[in-house]
Amino acid sequence: MKEFLRRNKYAALFSYFIIYLIWFSLLEVHADPVFYTHCRLDDLIPFCAWFLIPYLLWFPYVGVTIATVYIKSKPEFCRLCIRLFSGMTICLIIYTLFPSGQLLRPDLSGDSSLLSTLVKQLYFVDSCTNVCPSIHVYNSLCVHYTLCTWEQTKHKKWLKRSSLILMLFIIASTVFLKQHSVIDGFAALGLWIVVEGTLQWGISRQKQRQMGKLSA
């Protein structure tokens, strides 16, 4: 047992998702929005059910990347987890202290097409609360950045281009499905810049300390 735990100690990081799901679920039930996000650009963006496809592709995009990085490189896996978990935790804290919501969803009751029916199911399981910043957008930025900077993928142009296209479609899907306001996306971008900047500063400081020890 000890040997198993020693060889799979990094897998314990996956337990964060249990904490996240419990916290997020409690907010979905108990948090009442104190403000709603909306801007003029939201009114200019039409609803498009086809964007359900890239919206749902977010799950394998994030999940497969996390699993692949875990298998291939434990140090990179730790960095990815720091990126994801830091931002997701900050989002949960913001949702707790300043519950947000949006009132952008269209009335789809008269639309019986397959995609619209699936969107209605999405609306049913995912309420229009806890939206700012958008975790969908934040995690997509983290995953794409990892694929662009990780030693094993940063030289694969086809992969980086594919990731960029998918990331942009996923981000666009959040507003075309009326799951988020444009404001939520920009808030996620700002959060990612702060978290990534802090992470890079920490990595730089660590390298400087290591260099100092070697030169001492």
Side-chain angles (χ1 to χ4, degrees), residues 90-196:
I90 292 172
C91 284
L92 289 175
I93 293 172
I94 293 173
Y95 298 162
T96 302
L97 299 178
F98 306 102
S100 56
Q102 55 92 355
L103 301 173
L104 303 170
R105 291 178 173 180
D107 181 10
L108 300 177
S109 58
D111 191 340
S112 59
S113 64
L114 175 60
L115 281 173
S116 293
T117 300
L118 293 174
V119 172
K120 283 185 280 189
Q121 290 298 315
L122 172 65
Y123 287 173
F124 178 76
V125 299
D126 187 8
S127 72
C128 51
T129 57
N130 306 316
V131 294
C132 187
S134 166
I135 291 179
H136 233 73
V137 172
Y138 177 82
N139 284 0
S140 298
L141 291 167
C142 289
V143 166
H144 178 63
Y145 183 82
T146 294
L147 293 175
C148 288
T149 57
W150 182 24
E151 193 62 35
Q152 296 194 33
T153 54
K154 68 180 184 180
H155 301 297
K156 298 179 179 179
K157 293 183 179 180
W158 67 269
L159 180 61
K160 293 193 294 182
R161 289 171 181 168
S162 299
S163 174
L164 176 62
I165 293 171
L166 180 55
M167 181 195 70
L168 292 175
F169 268 100
I170 289 173
I171 292 174
S173 73
T174 64
V175 292
F176 277 95
L177 286 181
K178 302 303 178 180
Q179 282 289 87
H180 287 279
S181 164
V182 172
I183 294 172
D184 306 333
F186 277 108
L189 175 61
L191 175 61
W192 176 80
I193 291 173
V194 171
V195 171
E196 190 58 43

